């Protein structure tokens, strides 16, 4: 492919991005959650390039992005519960893991050999424009080196992947700032990964509790985003800290004195949107250790704490 391109949200640049995808190239694009690294989900070489660019383990499946529910039904089989969630929350920060249609034509690399597919319909208008312009399913994990902090701005993508991909579509900061919530349906609706849509909203729609969060793993994920050590800054992270040590830099939440604060007012929506950018700012400042204030374990706090626990997990 040609030299890396930093593209705008113009119709001409969206067409350029769709053309790059059609040639088997990789284009990072904004969603309401984080920036995704897009490749043609039906092109084995393009999908292999996604894994190569990210340094992502081949056993870790990818999310496929689609413009609408009709397109999603062409590659996956929906039961009653899945259809209800799709109709209620798509477009939006919800991924469904569903049986893959045998004739879907999706590269087997996308599903890492599983007979299911993780799919979602994003809400970001620039993502929708790209998906409609390309006209085919787009595999799109987060546009960052595997295991590192997810990108919520185009510059984050450039900092991590500029030399490994073909372009980024710049749609400004991501509004939600956390990856999508992932729901599986075998044998009943269950939470595979907390994310930008609170589990309480999903349970209210279904009228039944979700099965608990599936345990993290290092070798056998059933959905994207289940690896134990993930979303990690360079510095070690310690959680639920009210009084940081002298050599720690505090990432705050609520009315506390801190080098950076996710939300001084204690707003979980604001904290979710700021999380990954704040971790990147601390990385860029070269701090040696990061301490994080307690974050409530409800609503979006469940997803925030999930990402923080993975950021703090032991690393090889």
């Amino acid at each position: 492919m040609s030299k890396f391109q930093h593209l705008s949200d113009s119709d001409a640049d969206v067409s350029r991005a769709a053309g790059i995808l059609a040639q088997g190239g990789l284009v990072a694009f904004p969603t309401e959650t984080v920036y995704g690294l897009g490749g043609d989900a039906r092109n084995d070489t393009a999908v292999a390039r996604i894994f190569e660019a990210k340094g992502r383990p081949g056993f870790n499946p990818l999310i496929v992005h689609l413009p609408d529910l009709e397109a999603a039904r062409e590659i996956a089989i929906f039961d009653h519960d899945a259809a209800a969630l799709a109709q209620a929350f798509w477009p939006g920060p919800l991924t469904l893991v569903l049986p893959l249609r045998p004739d879907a034509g999706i590269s087997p690399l996308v599903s890492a050999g599983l007979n299911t597919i993780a799919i979602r319909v994003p809400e970001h208008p620039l993502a929708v424009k790209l998906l409609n312009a390309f006209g085919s399913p787009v595999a799109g994990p987060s546009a960052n080196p595997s295991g590192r902090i997810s990108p919520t701005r185009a510059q984050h993508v450039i900092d991590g992947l500029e030399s490994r991909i073909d372009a980024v579509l710049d749609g400004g900061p991501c509004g939600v700032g956390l990856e999508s919530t992932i729901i599986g349906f075998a044998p009943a609706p269950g939470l595979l990964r907390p994310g930008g849509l609170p589990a309480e909203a999903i349970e209210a729609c279904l009228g039944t509790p979700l099965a608990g969060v599936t345990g993290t793993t290092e070798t056998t994920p059933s959905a994207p985003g289940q690896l134990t050590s993930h979303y990690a800054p360079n510095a070690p992270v310690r959680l639920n800290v009210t009084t940081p040590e002298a050599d720690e830099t505090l990432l705050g939440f609520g009315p506390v004195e801190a080098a950076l604060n996710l939300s001084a007012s204690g707003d979980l929506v604001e904290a979710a949107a700021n999380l990954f950018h704040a971790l990147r700012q601390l990385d860029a400042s070269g701090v040696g250790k990061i301490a994080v204030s307690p974050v409530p374990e409800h609503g979006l706090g469940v997803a925030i704490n999930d990402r923080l626990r993975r950021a703090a997990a032991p690393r090889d």
Side-chain angles (χ1 to χ4, degrees):
M1 301 298 293
S2 58
K3 184 180 177 182
F4 175 84
Q5 300 178 60
H6 187 166
L7 303 174
S8 73
D9 59 359
S10 69
D11 289 346
D13 275 0
V14 171
S15 294
R16 289 188 185 93
I20 292 170
L21 291 175
Q23 296 173 53
L26 303 186
V27 177
F29 63 98
T31 76
E32 69 279 15
T33 58
V34 300
Y35 274 73
L37 179 56
D40 183 351
R42 290 182 167 138
N43 181 326
D44 289 337
T45 301
V47 177
R49 283 195 65 204
I50 291 175
F51 283 96
E52 180 184 41
K54 285 178 60 67
R56 184 181 178 99
F59 55 74
N60 195 6
L62 306 178
I63 293 175
V64 171
H65 293 71
L66 299 146
D68 50 43
L69 176 55
E70 181 180 0
R73 288 187 182 277
E74 294 178 2
I75 68 170
I77 300 169
F78 286 73
D79 65 12
H80 177 270
D81 288 333
L85 292 181
Q87 289 163 358
F89 299 115
W90 278 356
L94 174 68
T95 292
L96 305 178
V97 177
L98 301 172
L100 176 65
R101 291 191 180 278
D103 59 351
I106 299 297
S107 168
L109 297 173
V110 169
S111 58
L114 302 173
N115 59 4
T116 54
I117 187 79
I119 56 176
R120 90 173 182 99
V121 175
E123 188 175 18
H124 197 291
L126 192 51
V128 175
K129 285 173 68 174
L130 176 63
L131 291 169
N132 281 316
F134 180 54
S136 192
V138 172
S142 57
N144 58 293
S146 186
R148 308 306 296 179
I149 304 167
S150 297
T152 56
R153 290 163 169 76
Q155 188 60 49
H156 298 166
V157 178
I158 294 168
D159 291 344
L161 294 178
E162 179 178 4
S163 65
R164 307 180 196 177
I165 67 175
D166 302 297
V168 60
L169 267 179
D170 194 337
C174 300
V176 175
L178 287 175
E179 293 86 356
S180 58
T181 302
I182 302 182
I183 302 296
F185 298 88
L191 184 63
L192 300 182
R193 180 183 74 183
L197 179 65
E200 294 92 333
I202 297 169
E203 291 174 334
C205 177
L206 294 175
T208 184
L210 292 168
V213 180
T214 300
T216 56
T217 178
E218 285 302 328
T219 57
T220 57
S222 59
Q226 291 185 317
L227 296 185
T228 305
S229 179
H230 207 48
Y231 317 113
N234 292 319
V237 177
R238 188 166 69 97
L239 306 180
N240 299 311
V241 176
T242 54
T243 305
E245 302 291 339
D247 61 346
E248 292 179 323
T249 300
L250 183 64
L251 176 59
F253 177 82
V256 298
E257 277 197 35
L260 284 176
N261 202 311
L262 295 173
S263 174
S265 66
D267 184 324
L268 289 171
V269 174
E270 181 183 19
N274 288 335
L275 176 61
F276 289 141
H277 187 58
L279 288 173
R280 285 177 175 272
Q281 284 182 284
L282 291 173
D283 250 0
S285 69
V287 302
K289 296 180 181 179
I290 299 171
V292 186
S293 294
V295 177
E297 191 80 33
H298 62 75
L300 286 179
V302 175
I304 294 169
N305 282 311
D306 171 79
R307 303 308 190 272
L308 287 170
R309 282 190 289 268
R310 298 185 203 214
R315 309 170 206 173
D316 293 337

